[in-house]
């Protein structure tokens, strides 16, 4: 499915449903083709649904009283301090790479899109967890608006901070990029993101460990390969300490 591209698959399914079927279903032969196609349609949907399994979501009363900050807890620049103090008026999330319509989105733009809120448990590889409610647009909405190209295979998250002198970054595949719980969060527990948790924007990749959830987001790039990004392993911790690129919980 990943090879032929999710969008190609869905476009194919739509064409099958919309055009041919209503006409050929009138004849006996037509009906059997139609039924076979319907079976294939259902099977394809089941395969996608398996990949789209949701991370557990929790009730409001389960939220942790405080959500700890880990790794970078600020960005060391005058621009960041000025933006943090004034509600991030000049912050832009740049969406580029293998897209036909690059975008530069303000916080107001992101808040105006359809929003998803989810109460999930964050698991850090260092052995702590916290439950919080995250709100923001789905990454899928942004990638559709930017007209993602068929040859894109990975999404890179660019961050404003550095850790041990290197820029923090992360990456995911298209299954996680289009997963319904993959959102670009601007709020935690109903408030704008705190500085320590990645203000003004961070990724939520709910089926993977904490280090995949890039904070202080400045850009999202669609790419065909991870080879030329950072040291080529797909993320800061993957490059720096050999952490797994797919950090499934
Ligand atoms: N930009 C950036 N994103 C980051 C990190 C970081 O140091 N810089 N640390 C990661 C790690 S290891 C974890 S556990 C979470 C911590 O998120 P929190 O600070 O909201 O608890 O952010 C992840 N995303
Ligand atoms: Mo972590």
């Amino acid at each position: 499915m990943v090879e032929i591209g999710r969008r190609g698959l869905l476009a194919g399914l739509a064409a099958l449903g919309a055009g041919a079927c209503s006409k050929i279903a009138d004849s006996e032969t037509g009906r059997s083709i139609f039924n076979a196609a319907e079976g294939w349609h259902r099977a394809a949907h089941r395969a996608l649904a398996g990949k789209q399994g949701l991370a557990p979501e929790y009730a409001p009363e389960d939220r942790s009283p405080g959500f700890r900050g880990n790794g970078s807890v600020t960005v060391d620049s005058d621009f960041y301090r000025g933006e943090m103090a004034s509600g991030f008026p000049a912050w832009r999330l740049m969406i580029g790479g293998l897209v036909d319509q690059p975008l530069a989105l303000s916080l107001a733009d992101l808040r105006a899109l359809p929003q998803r809120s989810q109460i999930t448990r964050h698991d850090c590889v260092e052995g702590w967890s916290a439950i919080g409610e995250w709100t923001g647009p789905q990454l899928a909405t942004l990638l559709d608006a930017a007209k993602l190209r068929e040859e894109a295979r990975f999404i890179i998250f660019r961050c404003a901070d550095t850790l041990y002198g290197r820029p923090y970054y992360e990456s995911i595949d298209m299954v996680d990029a289009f997963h319904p719980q993959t959102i670009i969060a601007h709020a935690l527990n109903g408030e704008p993101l705190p500085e320590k948790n990645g203000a003004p924007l961070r990724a939520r990749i709910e089926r993977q460990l904490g280090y995949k959830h890039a904070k202080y987001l400045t850009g999202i790039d669609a790419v065909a390969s991870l080879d030329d990004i950072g040291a080529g392993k797909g993320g800061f911790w993957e490059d720096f300490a050999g952490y797994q690129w797919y950090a499934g919980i």
Side-chain angles (χ1 to χ4, degrees), residues 70-71 122-128 168 209-212 237 243:
N70 200 49
H122 177 105
D123 293 323
C124 174
V125 74
E126 293 165 23
W128 58 273
Y168 200 95
L209 290 170
Y211 61 87
K212 301 299 289 188
W237 283 110
Y243 285 13

Side-chain angles (χ1 to χ4, degrees), residues 67-72 122 124 128 134 159 161 163 168 196-197 202 210-211 213-216 237:
F67 203 107
R68 112 179 221 185
N70 200 49
S72 295
H122 177 105
C124 174
W128 58 273
W134 305 97
C159 306
D161 62 312
L163 206 51
Y168 200 95
K196 69 183 191 315
N197 303 111
R202 64 121 27 108
Y211 61 87
H213 304 228
K215 306 194 282 187
Y216 313 110
W237 283 110

Side-chain angles (χ1 to χ4, degrees), residues 19-75:
C21 294
S22 53
K23 283 194 190 115
I24 59 175
D26 293 343
S27 72
E28 224 15 75
T29 334
R31 223 178 319 274
S32 67
I33 293 170
F34 179 74
N35 289 339
E38 252 207 333
W40 178 76
H41 185 283
R42 272 197 299 273
H45 263 275
R46 262 199 305 278
L48 271 180
K51 290 184 176 175
Q52 299 293 84
L54 297 181
E57 294 193 14
Y58 297 81
E61 58 270 26
D62 298 328
R63 292 177 299 176
S64 306
F67 203 107
R68 112 179 221 185
N70 200 49
S72 295
V73 289
T74 187
V75 177

Side-chain angles (χ1 to χ4, degrees), residues 135-157:
T135 303
Q138 291 174 317
L139 178 57
T141 303
L142 306 185
L143 297 177
D144 285 342
K147 300 190 167 49
L148 187 68
R149 292 191 196 150
E150 286 289 331
E151 62 267 35
R153 285 289 170 275
F154 304 98
I155 295 300
I156 310 291
F157 297 107

